[in-house]
Amino acid sequence: MKNPASPRRSRAPAAFLALLNRRSVDGALGRDIIRLPVQTVAAVLLAYACMQWLNLPDIAWGAFSALFVVRASVEGTIGEGTARVLGALIGVAIGVSLVVLSQVGGLAIWWSIVIGVGLTAYISMRWPTLSYSLVTVTILTVTPDADILAGAMHKTVAIMIGSASGILAAAAVLPLSARRSVRTSLAASIEAFGDLLVQWAAALNDGSQRPCLHGRTAMEEARQRARDMSSQARTFPMDLLYPHGAAYRLHDGIDRLWRTVTLMERAGDVPLTDNICRRLGPALDEIAAAARAQVEDLAQALREDRRSAPPPRFGSPLRQLDGIIEAAMGDGGFDPTERESVEVIRWALHEVARELDALAEHLDGGSARR
């Protein structure tokens, strides 16, 4: 069919947008490859310098704490550092108490090891963020210092300095906000969906081979990165500062949108005739254009973290498609096989429209704020 607004003519821009989405995800991952080593080196050097300046023992404990608390975002590092300090305090309290009790009671050292490791193992399973308590209690009970209290205090101070060094390095050297990264990654994921929808509509328009919609690495990476950054933004104590219920709902809404890809692939498997393409082509053009406009507005709202004005819906193009289909069926324009194919296509498009509108209403209500 010859339609100047055909999605076929949007394939080059669509490919360009797909490349941009890929580059935005690759760029984020590439920056992580640079950011994390630089932040880690800065954290270890800062912890080492601080421990040397204060002439404190157990420098290795401070350096290792700085090494292991650095995460891909400031919020994630704060959460990891806080959890490490809390776990260390719990482990020190349990370890020192058990060693002292075993010395006073004349018990074999393995009793304190069994009780301490068993108790902190339970704590680690019950509250995984406190798993470092298992490390500290094991060190204290297996190889107790001559002055157990002084040794535990030195280790605790070293862990605090190392964790603080990691947090400071994450905040000062190439900092990345997890909450900002979540919005950027989700926006890239939605734009990738819009690009897929245009390509799919173009293939339906001209009856060509429909594109494979699953297995797009860049899109999956964008979604995975969004979830990873979202979990980092919700680590303790950051979860006390920012509500996270809305973030869960936002992720669920985008996941529901992506699940419509399965419906689109099912519609892409149906046989298409020249008759179907000729009758539905113009309506599919308008639906693809309206959907792209709505997707771009949603992505922009996510990036700016704003309460979006109601984005354009493509209910009108869908109603036009429904009218064309009903008219064709009413005058016998489709044979039974074509009727089945057309209904599958219409069903898939209505589900896409429903999920896009649900996501738009979620953002319009301001619930995208996390």
Side-chain angles (χ1 to χ4, degrees):
M1 60 192 64
K2 304 297 182 182
N3 187 345
S6 171
R8 282 176 293 178
R9 301 182 184 272
S10 303
R11 284 181 180 176
F16 179 67
L17 286 174
L19 180 61
L20 288 180
N21 290 330
R22 176 73 209 183
R23 286 180 176 175
S24 66
V25 176
D26 286 348
L29 297 177
R31 287 190 295 271
D32 284 348
I33 293 174
I34 298 174
R35 177 188 299 108
L36 286 176
V38 172
Q39 288 181 342
T40 303
V41 169
V44 172
L45 290 176
L46 182 61
Y48 175 79
C50 186
M51 297 284 290
Q52 287 279 42
W53 180 57
L54 296 175
N55 196 27
L56 296 173
D58 295 313
I59 294 179
W61 282 71
F64 274 106
S65 293
L67 178 68
F68 289 114
V69 300
V70 177
R71 292 294 179 266
S73 68
V74 175
E75 295 92 332
T77 303
I78 292 174
E80 188 67 25
T82 303
R84 194 175 187 87
V85 170
L86 289 177
L89 291 174
I90 293 173
V92 164
I94 294 174
V96 170
S97 300
L98 290 174
V99 170
V100 171
L101 287 175
S102 65
Q103 292 175 349
V104 172
L107 301 175
I109 191 64
W110 64 269
W111 278 105
S112 61
I113 297 174
V114 170
I115 296 174
V117 172
L119 181 57
T120 51
Y122 169 78
I123 292 174
S124 299
M125 290 187 293
R126 182 67 179 81
W127 297 282
T129 56
L130 302 178
S131 60
Y132 197 66
S133 61
L134 183 58
V135 176
T136 53
V137 82
T138 301
I139 296 296
L140 291 174
T141 55
V142 172
T143 57
D145 296 330
D147 187 346
I148 182 67
L149 190 58
M153 182 179 299
H154 292 155
K155 291 178 176 60
T156 302
V157 171
I159 292 170
M160 289 181 175
I161 290 176
S163 299
S165 299
I167 293 173
L168 182 59
V173 181
L174 304 175
L176 172 69
S177 167
R179 299 180 70 236
R180 173 68 179 173
S181 183
V182 168
R183 296 192 300 270
T184 302
S185 299
L186 289 178
S189 177
I190 294 175
E191 287 174 335
F193 178 87
D195 179 60
L196 269 184
L197 183 59
V198 169
Q199 294 181 42
W200 178 77
L204 289 180
N205 188 330
D206 57 21
S208 62
Q209 179 69 36
R210 267 75 78 191
C212 177
L213 303 182
H214 280 100
R216 303 297 182 98
T217 305
M219 303 167 196
E220 291 303 322
E221 285 178 352
R223 297 170 69 196
Q224 182 58 43
R225 182 175 178 80
R227 287 205 169 274
D228 180 46
M229 289 293 106
S230 182
S231 66
Q232 291 191 34
R234 298 195 303 269
T235 55
F236 178 83
M238 307 309 296
D239 59 345
L240 301 179
L241 301 177
Y242 306 117
H244 53 269
Y248 278 120
R249 291 191 295 272
L250 181 58
H251 281 288
D252 288 343
I254 292 177
D255 281 345
R256 285 195 302 271
L257 176 64
W258 270 96
R259 283 195 287 272
T260 61
V261 169
T262 303
L263 305 181
M264 293 161 60
E265 286 200 324
R266 172 66 186 91
D269 291 336
V270 300
L272 295 179
T273 64
D274 290 339
N275 182 40
I276 293 177
C277 295
R278 177 176 55 80
R279 288 178 179 269
L280 302 188
L284 290 175
D285 291 341
E286 294 187 16
I287 288 173
R292 167 57 60 79
Q294 184 170 1
V295 163
E296 289 176 351
D297 191 87
L298 291 174
Q300 187 67 15
L302 275 170
R303 284 197 175 91
E304 297 177 359
D305 192 24
R306 60 178 168 82
R307 181 171 181 148
S308 171
R313 272 60 169 178
F314 56 97
S316 177
L318 271 180
R319 286 191 295 272
Q320 179 184 352
L321 176 67
D322 289 337
I324 293 172
I325 292 174
E326 295 301 328
M329 289 184 176
D331 61 16
F334 294 134
D335 62 33
T337 302
E338 290 176 330
R339 292 168 68 97
E340 180 180 351
S341 298
V342 167
E343 288 296 348
V344 172
I345 294 171
R346 175 160 63 169
W347 170 56
L349 287 172
H350 274 275
E351 287 300 309
V352 170
R354 186 172 65 85
E355 294 301 339
L356 276 175
D357 282 348
L359 186 59
E361 290 171 3
H362 182 83
L363 293 178
D364 291 344
S367 52
R369 297 184 181 276
R370 292 173 291 285

